């Protein structure tokens, strides 16, 4: 069975999703200096048989001029996951991002209570 047609178990998909999330922790928001996972910008990650990854993310502000930079960094990070053959980053605005989505680590790093 070739890599493209292999059917992954739920456990294998979960493992790949976990590694995708770990890779996203290396994608840093250039303005805030915190990764996009801890900022709460990654809303959803889906991995499908054959290596297709669909990711729904948001940004801290709708007019963020760094959307292309962050998207490019995500695509580069996905190249480190051998099972991922294609990544589609979808920018979503609902629900709107706010500081309550941030991890404790990000809140402490940015001095937010």
């Amino acid at each position: 069975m070739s890599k493209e047609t292999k059917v992954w178990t739920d456990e294998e998909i979960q493992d790949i999703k976990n590694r995708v999330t770990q890779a996203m922790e290396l994608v840093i928001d250039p303005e805030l200096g915190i990764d996009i996972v801890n900022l709460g910008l990654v809303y959803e990650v889906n991995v499908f048989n054959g290596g297709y990854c669909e990711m729904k993310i948001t940004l801290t502000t709708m007019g963020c001029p760094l959307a292309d930079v962050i998207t490019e960094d995500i695509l580069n990070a996905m190249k480190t996951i051998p099972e991922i053959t294609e990544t589609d980053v979808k920018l979503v605005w609902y629900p709107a991002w706010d500081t309550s989505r941030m991890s404790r680590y990000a809140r402490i790093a940015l001095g937010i209570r």
Side-chain angles (χ1 to χ4, degrees), residues 36-81:
I36 63 174
V37 173
N38 279 293
L39 285 173
L41 299 179
V42 179
Y43 282 7
E44 189 176 324
V45 173
N46 294 300
V47 173
F48 301 93
N49 287 309
Y52 175 71
C53 178
E54 177 187 80
M55 189 175 307
K56 293 181 182 176
I57 68 161
T58 195
L59 300 171
T60 55
T61 60
M62 195 173 280
C64 179
L66 299 170
D68 290 341
V69 172
I70 292 171
T71 300
E72 189 65 31
D73 288 350
I74 290 169
L75 295 174
N76 286 331
M78 290 300 90
K79 292 175 184 174
T80 67
I81 314 286

Side-chain angles (χ1 to χ4, degrees), residues 14-29:
Q14 188 57 51
D15 175 64
I16 296 166
K17 284 176 70 171
N18 290 342
R19 288 187 283 127
V20 166
T21 300
Q22 288 174 340
M24 291 302 90
E25 290 177 349
L26 301 175
V27 176
I28 306 299
D29 180 297

